[in-house]
Amino acid sequence: MSIARPVLSPISTGLIFYPEQSSQMFFEGSEKKIELRVKQGNASLRGFSRDFWEQGLALAGADILSVLSNGECDAYVLSESSLFVWDSKVLLITCGNTNLIEAAVFLIDELNVDNIASFTYQRKSEFLSHLQATRFEDDCQLLRSRLNGTAYRVGHLDGHHHYLFCSETTEMLSRSTSLLMYHIKGDIAEYLRQPNQTKAQILALLQLPKLLPEFVFDDHLFEPCGYSINGLYGEHFLTMHITPQEHSAYVSIETNLNFEQSSFNIFSSMLKILTPCSWDIISVNQQLSADSYPLHIEVACCELALNAANSFNYKHYIQPVREELTAAVIKV
């Protein structure tokens, strides 16, 4: 028996074509993420030139596609997810086969470890982890050569799981919440897989301008499919990345909106629009109610106290319906 061997595309760090099945394509949507905050008294991070950020991103294997700025933040749409820069904080998210740890080390060294107030590194388990340049354990060895911290795994190795490295800090980390959706379905999911999509139509289908009218958005439509969008409103941000390929569909949304002070939950709206088979909610220093989510079963959770000031929360949900599976043909 012979199985078609995947070939990495020379134009993308996460795109894989199967020569014997040219209609199929896989992209690693699962992301890696760093958040770095500098101590008070340091110069604004927004003062660094675009060349500086491009230098760090090149080490990870990502490029800047566009930038959106307001009085509080610079938001970059990347070839592989997003970069946000505030005066004292950087949030960098990359997907595909990017080597984010190299960009992390670059930032730590350039900013000087003595100027860093807090640092976190998160990594979602990948669909095809053997194609990644490093393992989380390798990444931690590099980080620990520069920072003291603790590494965690949340979840079982044979299912969805998340890795977290958190530096030693007494400061409160920034509030953030992520929604990770798996195997989206329905008419909108089908549209996202079709040729001749438009950014305007995707934005209308997602209803983001209607749901978040105060936000200004910057988006990018990839070829042959895939969509990224950043949004800013004052110091608040939202970023969303869609990998719609049917057999590896994955959508991530992250924001620092305070759900505890508002009855509106953008995640509930996105769950109803994209109807995933399962999803994760990951939050730092914030609790979310699932009351407004579509019908679901909470099948796993973890509440982790990182220290006296910070907490990490993880919950995994599934729809309470049977999934009809389709057998994939393997050429012999």
Side-chain angles (χ1 to χ4, degrees):
M1 178 182 294
S2 63
I3 300 176
R5 298 297 181 186
V7 177
L8 287 174
S9 164
I11 60 171
S12 172
T13 58
L15 194 61
I16 302 173
F17 294 98
Y18 290 82
E20 297 179 24
Q21 306 170 55
S22 58
S23 63
Q24 295 190 23
M25 186 187 71
F26 170 84
F27 183 84
E28 186 65 72
S30 300
E31 291 145 329
K32 312 172 187 76
K33 177 174 66 177
I34 60 174
E35 181 180 301
L36 183 154
R37 182 182 292 275
V38 295
K39 296 176 180 177
Q40 291 184 353
N42 282 276
S44 171
L45 296 174
R46 300 180 72 188
F48 284 96
S49 68
R50 177 164 172 156
D51 288 344
F52 173 83
W53 299 113
E54 288 179 335
Q55 184 181 354
L57 291 168
L59 295 171
D63 300 307
I64 294 174
L65 301 180
S66 61
V67 60
L68 170 71
S69 296
N70 66 10
E72 303 287 340
C73 180
D74 302 314
Y76 299 85
V77 173
L78 307 180
S79 58
E80 321 286 331
S81 295
S82 294
L83 165 68
F84 294 85
V85 183
W86 291 266
D87 287 330
S88 61
K89 187 181 74 172
V90 173
L91 173 65
L92 174 55
I93 306 169
T94 63
C95 57
N97 296 339
T98 49
N99 199 3
L100 181 59
I101 191 62
E102 294 297 332
V105 169
F106 168 83
L107 290 175
I108 293 170
D109 290 347
E110 289 295 318
L111 298 176
N112 191 329
V113 68
D114 292 333
N115 294 325
I116 295 174
S118 64
F119 177 91
T120 60
Y121 174 67
Q122 294 186 49
R123 182 165 173 171
K124 166 75 177 66
S125 58
E126 295 90 9
F127 281 94
L128 297 180
S129 59
H130 62 285
L131 295 178
Q132 296 296 310
T134 66
R135 303 173 305 142
F136 178 74
E137 292 82 359
D138 304 323
D139 300 343
C140 286
Q141 286 186 353
L142 270 176
L143 292 175
R144 283 177 170 150
S145 69
R146 290 162 171 80
L147 292 165
N148 293 322
T150 304
Y152 305 90
R153 187 191 78 236
V154 177
H156 301 296
L157 284 173
D158 60 350
H160 290 300
H161 54 281
H162 301 264
Y163 295 103
L164 169 68
F165 175 90
C166 183
S167 68
E168 292 182 355
T169 181
T170 57
E171 293 199 9
M172 180 169 285
L173 300 174
S174 299
R175 177 194 305 109
S176 67
T177 313
S178 301
L179 166 63
L180 311 180
M181 293 182 272
Y182 310 102
H183 305 295
I184 59 174
K185 56 187 185 296
D187 292 342
I188 295 177
E190 288 303 317
Y191 176 79
L192 291 165
R193 300 178 183 123
Q194 300 302 315
N196 304 317
Q197 303 169 52
T198 66
K199 292 195 297 183
Q201 181 64 12
I202 294 175
L203 195 58
L205 290 170
L206 295 174
Q207 302 178 37
L208 287 173
K210 177 182 177 181
L211 295 168
L212 298 170
E214 304 93 345
F215 275 71
V216 178
F217 294 102
D218 176 33
D219 58 355
H220 185 86
L221 179 60
F222 293 89
E223 292 289 344
C225 59
Y227 179 77
S228 290
I229 184 167
N230 290 337
L232 292 177
Y233 168 51
E235 65 178 8
H236 300 295
F237 81 95
L238 180 137
T239 186
M240 182 175 185
H241 305 283
I242 301 177
T243 302
Q245 286 84 341
E246 185 170 0
H247 298 295
S248 57
Y250 173 83
V251 178
S252 70
I253 308 174
E254 180 164 351
T255 184
N256 60 353
L257 288 170
N258 190 339
F259 293 101
E260 297 172 2
Q261 293 182 355
S262 173
S263 58
F264 171 68
N265 187 329
I266 185 65
F267 291 172
S268 299
S269 299
M270 291 299 104
L271 287 168
K272 293 169 185 174
I273 289 171
L274 293 168
T275 60
C277 292
S278 63
W279 62 92
D280 297 336
I281 299 289
I282 301 173
S283 61
V284 174
N285 293 337
Q286 182 160 230
Q287 294 285 346
L288 270 72
S289 169
D291 292 346
S292 59
Y293 295 170
L295 194 61
H296 63 271
I297 300 173
E298 181 185 316
V299 294
C301 67
C302 176
E303 296 187 8
L304 173 65
L306 300 173
N307 50 44
N310 298 290
S311 63
F312 175 91
N313 296 277
Y314 163 79
K315 292 186 177 181
H316 180 60
Y317 301 89
I318 61 172
Q319 286 192 357
V321 295
R322 185 182 70 167
E323 181 183 3
E324 193 73 28
L325 300 177
T326 302
V329 175
I330 300 175
K331 290 187 179 294
V332 178

